[in-house]
Amino acid sequence: MSERNGHGTADTNGGSQGISVVHVSIPNSAIQVQPGFQTQSAVLQNPGNYQTIQIVRVATVDEELSSDDSGTKKRREILARRPSYRKILNDLSSPVPKMEDDSNSSQSNDGHDSYVQAGTLHLTAHGDASHAAQGLQTLTMTNASPTSGNSAGGTTIVQYAQGPDGQFYIPVAGANVQAYQIAAPGSLAQGVVMAPGSPMSSPQHVSEEGSRKRELRLLKNREAARECRRKKKEYVKCLENRVAVLENQNKTLIEELKALKELYCQKDA
DNA sequence: CAATCAAAGCGTCACCTCCT
DNA sequence: AGGAGGTGACGCTTTGATTG
């Protein structure tokens, strides 16, 4: 599954300022793949599990928040107490108490609980000599999530170059490999670490440095937001799956209790 | 087939927590 | 203390379904 391309005003606005060319050493698909998306339709792929199981809606913190009219202040207070999805998922990854007779558990059928481990995102900037010579930088984004099913093993390499005017040239996801969008400062993808030995002492360069830092922060945050959303989806699916499992267990226990009651009554009579 | 709508996704900002 | 990463909120676009 690939991301939608050319999407988002910030991205495309940057591109409207001109077209340039950059050296790219990876196929476009490596940039487009969004790690973890293979698992997103997992629930839908197993509709049978959900046809007979009533999903109990549990009020989540989100719902509590959305129904809270006391304003953002209180919302913030509640959110501040909320652990990250990584923590929540780690907690959830502890196994659901197994029942002796749990053969029809939906969890055992699809094993969704196995994907609750959170991934980590590593950003590494490379400024090796050959690339620096042509102003080309490489940003390696490694997603260690076990759910990332992309063929690149969860590693995405983004390359970009800085022009003499301080602008950054990046490949456009989804575009032909030969065509690239120019990213104006302040609009996109600054993730650049200066090539070693770059003269960066003048005030102009200082502001460029600030601009670069901002772009790098935006780039990382963009990736972090994607990762966060992916984890959130996994988290929700995990909760749904857990609900299904517990519903099954509950049903089995009720039946068991019923049977034992009957047995007991017969014995009494 | 065009208009409309809801859902989903994205980028960015602000704020929080954690780590060094 | 400050930087880095995580995440909710917000505004926007895209997409698919529905309707007239």
Side-chain angles (χ1 to χ4, degrees):
Chain A
M1 176 175 180
S2 63
E3 294 179 43
R4 287 198 299 267
N5 301 320
H7 159 241
T9 50
D11 296 3
T12 49
N13 284 349
S16 67
Q17 299 191 11
I19 298 294
S20 186
V21 174
V22 70
H23 301 86
V24 164
S25 61
I26 58 170
N28 236 16
S29 58
I31 299 173
Q32 296 176 54
V33 168
Q34 183 148 353
F37 263 45
Q38 282 76 1
T39 64
Q40 290 187 351
S41 58
V43 169
L44 297 176
Q45 286 167 355
N46 292 285
N49 288 340
Y50 293 86
Q51 284 172 354
T52 56
I53 294 170
Q54 181 190 1
I55 303 296
V56 177
R57 280 190 93 250
V58 179
T60 64
V61 177
D62 284 332
E63 287 169 334
E64 289 172 15
L65 291 176
S66 62
S67 63
D68 186 5
D69 294 333
S70 58
T72 55
K73 194 88 177 175
K74 192 168 183 178
R75 191 172 300 184
R76 279 280 166 209
E77 287 174 10
I78 296 174
L79 290 174
R81 280 180 257 124
R82 183 184 192 165
S84 72
Y85 287 119
R86 179 162 49 188
K87 281 187 177 176
I88 295 171
L89 285 168
N90 281 340
D91 289 344
L92 282 173
S93 67
S94 60
V96 173
K98 271 277 179 187
M99 293 177 59
E100 287 177 355
D101 182 19
D102 195 21
S103 56
N104 55 353
S105 154
S106 66
Q107 184 198 22
S108 60
N109 287 339
D110 57 27
H112 280 175
D113 272 1
S114 63
Y115 62 68
V116 299
Q117 287 185 26
T120 40
L121 185 68
H122 304 287
L123 294 173
T124 311
H126 309 280
D128 65 67
S130 61
H131 283 168
Q134 47 189 324
L136 183 64
Q137 301 292 330
T138 304
L139 191 66
T140 304
M141 290 175 284
T142 304
N143 188 330
S145 168
T147 66
S148 53
N150 80 28
S151 56
T155 299
T156 300
I157 300 168
V158 179
Q159 290 198 314
Y160 41 81
Q162 182 187 13
D165 51 358
Q167 289 184 315
F168 295 88
Y169 301 80
I170 62 164
V172 178
N176 185 297
V177 180
Q178 270 76 37
Y180 300 97
Q181 208 166 17
I182 183 173
S187 70
L188 186 62
Q190 142 213 1
V192 169
V193 169
M194 287 308 299
S198 295
M200 298 297 284
S201 52
S202 72
Q204 182 188 355
H205 280 151
V206 169
S207 69
E208 282 177 10
E209 177 76 13
S211 172
R212 253 190 304 280
K213 278 183 181 172
R214 172 183 155 77
E215 291 295 341
L216 179 58
R217 182 162 48 82
L218 290 180
L219 175 65
K220 284 185 176 179
N221 189 242
R222 206 176 298 141
E223 290 297 325
R226 272 192 209 128
E227 182 68 8
C228 181
R229 286 166 180 140
R230 188 189 64 76
K231 275 190 282 186
K232 185 175 183 178
K233 282 180 112 179
E234 284 185 10
Y235 166 63
V236 169
K237 285 208 169 78
C238 184
L239 285 181
E240 289 173 346
N241 190 51
R242 181 161 290 222
V243 166
V245 170
L246 292 174
E247 280 288 318
N248 252 355
Q249 291 184 352
N250 195 34
K251 194 173 157 189
T252 307
L253 283 171
I254 287 173
E255 284 170 4
E256 197 177 327
L257 179 65
K258 207 170 159 185
L260 285 172
K261 269 185 181 174
E262 283 176 7
L263 201 66
Y264 183 75
C265 287
Q266 284 174 4
K267 210 174 177 183
D268 252 12

